[in-house]
Amino acid sequence: MNGGGGASIASGRLARLVVLALPYLWLLLFFLLPFLIVAKIALSEIAVGIPPYAPILRWTEENVLTVVLNFGSFATLLEDGFYLDAYLRSLRVAGISALLCLLVGYPMAYAIARAPEHRRNLLLLLVVLPFWTSFLLRVMAWIGILQDQGVLNALLLSLGLISEPLRLLYTEGAVYVGIVYCYLPFMVLPLYATLAKLDPVLLEAAADLGARPFRAFLTVTLPLSMPGILAGCMLVFIPAVGEFVIPELLGGPAAQLAGRVLWVEFFQNRDWPMASALAVALLVLLVVPIAAFQRHAARRGRA
């Protein structure tokens, strides 16, 4: 009996270890290993050939294996103001886009959470419905809407609100429109998941204590929905920092964001070490808000 019990305990521990090891194995294969490969390319020297960079492990004439690390790409990132401006512009665009998604998505999520239960699934379906079409097609559709002879300008001209077409396409505002349109569901869904779990009794208690609806929202609903706000902002901010398609199609040549600069270095300039250094720097830049969010979530969980 004791032997059978010990075997069952050992098998249970082994099963728990396997379950715990799977996420770490996933991170090792699809995050750490690719990151190390990109970091290795970033520390190599540009060369003419395929691939267009020199190996960091080299044999000398004396048959001695040496490691040659080139930090010139990272030095260029710090010295050249063009790359710093691209990073700062990407952070600004991503931050404003996350704020706009929050301003638009919070009322939508609140309305869905307060809707009758038999209507919530339909409303959520309408939120995720754009994902059923191609991302590229959805972005290109905005070209037909925002261009000088597009739908929006034609509508404004027909209503007599403007006398000549407005310059809407290839502007920073068009980039914001595209990002908000494409990433809005990433803000609505976590907000809805948080707001739907709020107990309406708390608002009733606030009303009984004399709090008006707006004050009850500020003191009860808004603080309790902060996990959803943080999750939604991270889900929008992180991919928006490295966004390439939307600035390329809607922003025009002036939209020199980090993702576009990385694409130019990789495909046009064929400077793989510089492109890899840009990717590593962008990843390190994103680790800070991710770590802050996880720390805040862990703190709230302990509380």
Side-chain angles (χ1 to χ4, degrees):
M1 294 296 294
N2 292 334
S8 62
I9 294 175
S11 61
R13 291 179 178 176
L14 179 61
R16 285 194 295 268
L17 289 176
V18 172
V19 172
L20 292 175
L22 287 177
Y24 291 100
L25 181 62
W26 178 273
L27 292 175
L28 175 64
L29 293 178
F30 298 102
F31 175 76
L32 183 59
L33 184 60
F35 174 77
L36 293 177
I37 294 174
V38 174
K40 178 185 74 69
I41 298 176
L43 294 174
S44 62
E45 298 177 352
I46 188 172
V48 178
I50 300 176
Y53 61 89
I56 62 175
L57 296 177
R58 306 177 190 177
W59 289 96
T60 64
E61 296 179 355
E62 294 78 13
N63 292 327
V64 177
L65 183 63
T66 60
V67 179
V68 180
L69 300 179
N70 177 33
F71 294 91
S73 299
F74 292 101
T76 303
L77 291 181
L78 298 176
E79 296 172 356
D80 195 337
F82 172 76
Y83 299 107
L84 180 60
D85 291 340
Y87 278 118
L88 294 179
R89 193 178 298 113
S90 299
L91 292 176
R92 176 171 57 83
V93 170
I96 295 177
S97 300
L99 179 60
L100 292 175
C101 284
L102 177 61
L103 295 177
V104 176
Y106 199 103
M108 294 175 59
Y110 188 86
I112 297 174
R114 292 295 177 264
E117 292 189 6
H118 65 278
R119 295 182 181 178
R120 293 181 183 178
N121 291 334
L122 176 61
L123 296 175
L124 290 174
L125 177 63
L126 294 177
V127 171
V128 301
L129 191 61
F131 280 92
W132 293 8
T133 58
S134 171
F135 176 83
L136 184 60
L137 291 178
R138 285 184 283 136
V139 176
M140 294 186 65
W142 278 102
I143 298 178
I145 297 174
L146 298 176
Q147 63 184 354
D148 294 346
Q149 306 301 325
V151 177
L152 185 57
N153 272 314
L155 178 61
L156 296 176
L157 288 171
S158 63
L159 295 176
L161 298 178
I162 57 175
S163 58
E164 59 182 10
L166 299 176
R167 180 67 172 179
L168 301 176
L169 190 61
Y170 302 137
T171 61
E172 191 169 302
V175 176
Y176 290 131
V177 170
I179 293 178
V180 171
Y181 168 73
C182 292
Y183 290 108
L184 185 61
F186 294 111
M187 179 67 71
V188 174
L189 295 179
L191 280 173
Y192 165 77
T194 303
L195 292 171
K197 295 186 294 184
L198 296 182
D199 193 349
V201 176
L202 298 176
L203 296 177
E204 297 176 0
D208 293 339
L209 294 175
R212 295 183 178 181
F214 184 69
R215 182 172 180 82
F217 170 79
L218 292 179
T219 57
V220 178
T221 305
L222 187 61
L224 293 178
S225 62
M226 284 304 297
I229 293 175
L230 293 175
C233 289
M234 289 293 102
L235 289 176
V236 174
F237 178 84
I238 292 173
V241 171
E243 180 60 49
F244 165 73
V245 176
I246 296 175
E248 176 71 16
L249 296 180
L250 302 181
Q256 294 293 339
L257 303 183
R260 186 172 184 179
V261 173
L262 193 152
W263 185 90
V264 169
E265 293 290 348
F266 191 88
F267 290 99
Q268 292 186 1
N269 298 339
R270 297 283 293 174
D271 192 347
W272 286 24
M274 177 57 69
S276 300
L278 284 167
V280 171
L282 185 61
L283 180 61
V284 173
L285 191 66
L286 294 177
V287 165
V288 176
I290 294 175
F293 171 72
Q294 290 181 343
R295 183 176 180 182
H296 178 79
R299 187 178 302 173
R300 290 185 62 91
R302 289 194 298 268

